[in-house]
Short mmCIF file of all heavy atoms in Angstrom, two decimals:
data_model
loop_
_atom_site.label_atom_id
_atom_site.label_comp_id
_atom_site.label_asym_id
_atom_site.label_seq_id
_atom_site.Cartn_x
_atom_site.Cartn_y
_atom_site.Cartn_z
N MET G 12 85.58 111.60 100.86
CA MET G 12 86.54 110.55 100.47
C MET G 12 87.39 111.06 99.31
O MET G 12 86.88 111.68 98.37
CB MET G 12 85.80 109.28 100.07
CG MET G 12 86.75 108.12 99.73
SD MET G 12 85.84 106.59 99.43
CE MET G 12 87.21 105.52 99.06
N LEU G 13 88.66 110.86 99.34
CA LEU G 13 89.56 111.36 98.32
C LEU G 13 89.32 110.68 96.98
O LEU G 13 89.05 109.48 96.92
CB LEU G 13 91.01 111.15 98.73
CG LEU G 13 91.48 111.95 99.95
CD1 LEU G 13 92.87 111.51 100.34
CD2 LEU G 13 91.43 113.43 99.67
N ASP G 14 89.42 111.48 95.89
CA ASP G 14 89.30 110.91 94.55
C ASP G 14 90.41 109.89 94.33
O ASP G 14 91.56 110.09 94.72
CB ASP G 14 89.42 112.04 93.51
CG ASP G 14 89.05 111.58 92.12
OD1 ASP G 14 89.63 110.60 91.65
OD2 ASP G 14 88.20 112.23 91.52
N LEU G 15 90.09 108.79 93.69
CA LEU G 15 91.09 107.73 93.49
C LEU G 15 92.25 108.17 92.63
O LEU G 15 93.28 107.51 92.59
CB LEU G 15 90.42 106.49 92.87
CG LEU G 15 89.60 105.64 93.84
CD1 LEU G 15 88.93 104.51 93.08
CD2 LEU G 15 90.45 105.10 94.96
N ARG G 16 92.11 109.28 91.92
CA ARG G 16 93.24 109.74 91.11
C ARG G 16 94.47 110.05 91.94
O ARG G 16 95.58 110.08 91.44
CB ARG G 16 92.85 111.00 90.32
CG ARG G 16 91.84 110.74 89.22
CD ARG G 16 91.47 112.02 88.52
NE ARG G 16 90.89 112.98 89.47
CZ ARG G 16 90.68 114.27 89.18
NH1 ARG G 16 91.04 114.77 88.03
NH2 ARG G 16 90.12 115.06 90.09
N ILE G 17 94.27 110.28 93.22
CA ILE G 17 95.42 110.60 94.06
C ILE G 17 96.28 109.39 94.33
O ILE G 17 97.40 109.53 94.79
CB ILE G 17 94.97 111.22 95.39
CG1 ILE G 17 94.09 110.24 96.16
CG2 ILE G 17 94.22 112.50 95.14
CD1 ILE G 17 93.60 110.77 97.48
N LEU G 18 95.76 108.21 94.07
CA LEU G 18 96.52 107.02 94.43
C LEU G 18 97.80 106.88 93.64
O LEU G 18 98.85 106.56 94.17
CB LEU G 18 95.68 105.75 94.20
CG LEU G 18 94.39 105.63 95.01
CD1 LEU G 18 93.70 104.33 94.67
CD2 LEU G 18 94.66 105.71 96.49
N SER G 19 97.72 107.12 92.33
CA SER G 19 98.81 106.72 91.47
C SER G 19 100.08 107.51 91.67
O SER G 19 101.17 106.96 91.61
CB SER G 19 98.39 106.79 89.99
OG SER G 19 97.94 108.08 89.69
N PHE G 20 99.97 108.82 91.92
CA PHE G 20 101.20 109.60 92.03
C PHE G 20 101.99 109.25 93.27
O PHE G 20 103.21 109.35 93.30
CB PHE G 20 100.90 111.10 92.05
CG PHE G 20 100.66 111.64 93.43
CD1 PHE G 20 101.70 112.08 94.22
CD2 PHE G 20 99.39 111.63 93.96
CE1 PHE G 20 101.48 112.53 95.49
CE2 PHE G 20 99.17 112.09 95.22
CZ PHE G 20 100.20 112.54 95.99
N TRP G 54 99.92 114.13 87.42
CA TRP G 54 100.10 114.78 88.70
C TRP G 54 101.49 115.38 88.75
O TRP G 54 102.44 114.81 88.23
CB TRP G 54 99.94 113.79 89.86
CG TRP G 54 98.51 113.43 90.14
CD1 TRP G 54 97.77 112.47 89.53
CD2 TRP G 54 97.64 114.06 91.09
NE1 TRP G 54 96.50 112.45 90.05
CE2 TRP G 54 96.39 113.42 91.01
CE3 TRP G 54 97.81 115.11 92.00
CZ2 TRP G 54 95.31 113.78 91.80
CZ3 TRP G 54 96.73 115.47 92.80
CH2 TRP G 54 95.50 114.81 92.70
N PHE G 87 97.07 107.03 84.58
CA PHE G 87 95.98 106.70 85.48
C PHE G 87 94.63 106.70 84.78
O PHE G 87 94.32 107.61 84.01
CB PHE G 87 95.94 107.69 86.64
CG PHE G 87 94.85 107.39 87.64
CD1 PHE G 87 95.02 106.40 88.58
CD2 PHE G 87 93.66 108.08 87.61
CE1 PHE G 87 94.02 106.10 89.49
CE2 PHE G 87 92.65 107.79 88.51
CZ PHE G 87 92.83 106.80 89.46
N TYR G 88 93.85 105.65 85.04
CA TYR G 88 92.48 105.54 84.55
C TYR G 88 91.57 105.35 85.75
O TYR G 88 91.64 104.32 86.43
CB TYR G 88 92.34 104.37 83.58
CG TYR G 88 93.25 104.47 82.38
CD1 TYR G 88 94.44 103.75 82.33
CD2 TYR G 88 92.93 105.30 81.30
CE1 TYR G 88 95.27 103.83 81.23
CE2 TYR G 88 93.76 105.39 80.20
CZ TYR G 88 94.93 104.65 80.17
OH TYR G 88 95.76 104.73 79.09
N LYS G 89 90.70 106.28 85.98
CA LYS G 89 89.84 106.25 87.17
C LYS G 89 89.01 104.98 87.24
O LYS G 89 88.80 104.43 88.33
CB LYS G 89 88.93 107.49 87.17
CG LYS G 89 88.03 107.58 88.39
CD LYS G 89 87.21 108.85 88.35
CE LYS G 89 86.30 108.95 89.57
NZ LYS G 89 85.49 110.19 89.54
N LEU G 92 91.80 100.75 87.46
CA LEU G 92 93.03 100.83 88.25
C LEU G 92 94.06 99.79 87.82
O LEU G 92 95.26 100.01 87.95
CB LEU G 92 92.72 100.65 89.74
CG LEU G 92 92.08 101.84 90.45
CD1 LEU G 92 91.84 101.51 91.91
CD2 LEU G 92 92.92 103.10 90.32
N TYR G 146 96.38 102.55 101.77
CA TYR G 146 96.48 101.89 100.48
C TYR G 146 97.73 101.01 100.41
O TYR G 146 98.63 101.12 101.24
CB TYR G 146 96.53 102.94 99.36
CG TYR G 146 95.45 103.97 99.48
CD1 TYR G 146 95.68 105.15 100.18
CD2 TYR G 146 94.20 103.76 98.92
CE1 TYR G 146 94.68 106.09 100.33
CE2 TYR G 146 93.20 104.70 99.04
CZ TYR G 146 93.44 105.87 99.76
OH TYR G 146 92.44 106.80 99.90
N LEU G 167 97.03 108.84 102.57
CA LEU G 167 96.84 110.08 101.84
C LEU G 167 95.95 111.04 102.63
O LEU G 167 95.06 110.62 103.36
CB LEU G 167 96.17 109.81 100.48
CG LEU G 167 96.93 108.91 99.52
CD1 LEU G 167 96.05 108.58 98.32
CD2 LEU G 167 98.21 109.56 99.06
N SER G 169 94.44 115.50 102.47
CA SER G 169 94.43 116.78 101.76
C SER G 169 95.44 117.72 102.40
O SER G 169 95.75 117.60 103.60
CB SER G 169 93.03 117.41 101.82
OG SER G 169 92.08 116.58 101.18
N VAL G 177 97.51 117.25 97.46
CA VAL G 177 97.34 116.01 98.20
C VAL G 177 98.69 115.61 98.79
O VAL G 177 99.72 115.74 98.13
CB VAL G 177 96.80 114.89 97.28
CG1 VAL G 177 96.74 113.57 98.03
CG2 VAL G 177 95.42 115.25 96.75
#
Side-chain angles (χ1 to χ4, degrees):
M12 184 174 179
L13 293 173
D14 191 305
L15 283 177
R16 291 178 300 168
I17 61 180
L18 299 180
S19 56
F20 89 88
W54 284 85
F87 181 79
Y88 301 100
K89 182 178 180 180
L92 285 180
Y146 311 91
L167 300 172
S169 299
V177 175

